[in-house]
Amino acid sequence: MKGWNWQGFFEYLTNTYLFEGALVTLGLTAFSMTAGLILGFFIAVLRMSRFRILSTIASLYIWLFRGTPLLVQLIIIYTGLPQVGIKLSVIQSTLLGLALCEAAYLSEIVRAGITSVPRGQVNAARAIGMREAQIMRYVIMPQALRLIIPPLGNSVNSVLKTTSIASIISMEELLRRTQVLIQEKFLVLELFVVAAIYYLIMTTAWEFVQRRIEARLGKAYGQSAMTGL
């Protein structure tokens, strides 16, 4: 291939600097999904609240973070918050932005799972004296998880790639480190292909994990259903 540097390609395919960038990407993904899921759960509960003010606040949050690009959100957090006396580092801004944005999407996934549980089961649980927290833990969530896990897994796959947006505020994840090497070595196509391979490895590995989780969850649910019979 004319103009293609095979030596540079193979050299950076096993480059420690890029490998560490991939690890940062994995770390950002793990944190944003964990924090986003926790926050998203509470937002989903507020969204379903019978108190209109709480439901409205949750709806506005979802509207705001789903209706604006993550790129804009990160820039506002990193460069805008210092204007009001809140100065965050690059890593803090990235973690906050990813978590807040992901929470808006995950809250809707959680809400859909919770509302899928038949209302009659909830009423029956209340009738036998179960408290709301017990109903959520023992009645709603075990069933809701069957619907939540698949889209949740897809969100992990998406966030693995979305973290690259954080390069705009100089977060040294995989894409940012790729850009740094490009500026030094001028191997534009070779390094972007290497970065693409790293992303493919991470997303493919997660797809394998996701299938195992879904299979185990489905098997567990089938066994519990048979036990109930």
Side-chain angles (χ1 to χ4, degrees), residues 55-77:
S55 177
T56 300
I57 291 173
S59 297
L60 287 174
Y61 178 94
I62 295 170
W63 168 76
L64 176 63
F65 282 94
R66 292 187 64 175
T68 55
L70 175 60
L71 175 63
V72 175
Q73 295 168 19
L74 287 174
I75 292 175
I76 291 175
I77 291 173

Side-chain angles (χ1 to χ4, degrees), residues 13-223:
L13 196 59
T14 56
N15 183 270
T16 302
Y17 183 67
L18 289 180
F19 179 74
E20 290 174 349
L23 293 180
V24 172
T25 292
L26 290 173
L28 293 175
T29 301
F31 178 87
S32 61
M33 287 301 301
T34 302
L37 185 58
I38 294 172
L39 179 57
F41 175 81
F42 287 107
I43 294 172
V45 172
L46 291 179
R47 181 81 164 78
M48 296 181 293
S49 175
R50 61 178 179 271
F51 299 105
R52 188 174 183 82
I53 182 64
L54 296 179
S55 177
T56 300
I57 291 173
S59 297
L60 287 174
Y61 178 94
I62 295 170
W63 168 76
L64 176 63
F65 282 94
R66 292 187 64 175
T68 55
L70 175 60
L71 175 63
V72 175
Q73 295 168 19
L74 287 174
I75 292 175
I76 291 175
I77 291 173
Y78 185 61
T79 65
L81 290 184
Q83 305 300 319
V84 293
I86 304 174
K87 188 173 183 180
L88 301 177
S89 66
V90 170
I91 180 65
Q92 290 171 333
S93 298
T94 300
L95 293 175
L96 179 61
L98 288 172
L100 291 177
C101 182
E102 201 58 30
Y105 289 91
L106 295 181
S107 66
E108 291 296 270
I109 293 175
V110 172
R111 186 174 69 89
I114 291 175
T115 55
S116 70
V117 178
R119 192 68 184 173
Q121 295 187 24
V122 177
N123 293 333
R126 289 196 181 111
I128 62 175
M130 294 182 71
R131 294 189 296 270
E132 293 299 320
Q134 292 177 314
I135 294 174
M136 181 64 73
R137 180 178 179 182
Y138 297 111
V139 178
I140 296 177
M141 290 312 297
Q143 299 181 71
L145 280 175
R146 292 186 299 112
L147 293 178
I148 291 174
I149 292 297
L152 186 64
N154 293 335
S155 293
V156 173
N157 204 325
S158 177
V159 173
L160 276 168
K161 295 169 286 186
T162 302
T163 54
S164 61
I165 296 177
S167 63
I168 194 67
I169 58 172
S170 300
M171 179 66 214
E172 285 208 4
E173 41 67 65
L174 179 56
L175 182 61
R176 175 60 182 171
R177 293 193 175 210
T178 301
Q179 294 170 334
V180 170
L181 289 177
I182 287 174
Q183 293 171 0
E184 294 178 355
K185 307 299 181 180
F186 302 103
L187 298 175
V188 179
L189 184 58
E190 291 86 347
L191 280 163
F192 274 131
V193 171
V194 168
I197 291 173
Y198 271 100
Y199 280 114
L200 280 171
I201 291 173
M202 291 187 289
T203 55
T204 302
W206 171 250
E207 286 177 2
F208 174 78
V209 173
Q210 181 181 354
R211 285 197 296 269
R212 294 294 298 271
I213 294 174
E214 290 178 7
R216 178 180 286 272
L217 187 64
K219 183 178 179 181
Y221 180 78
Q223 290 176 343

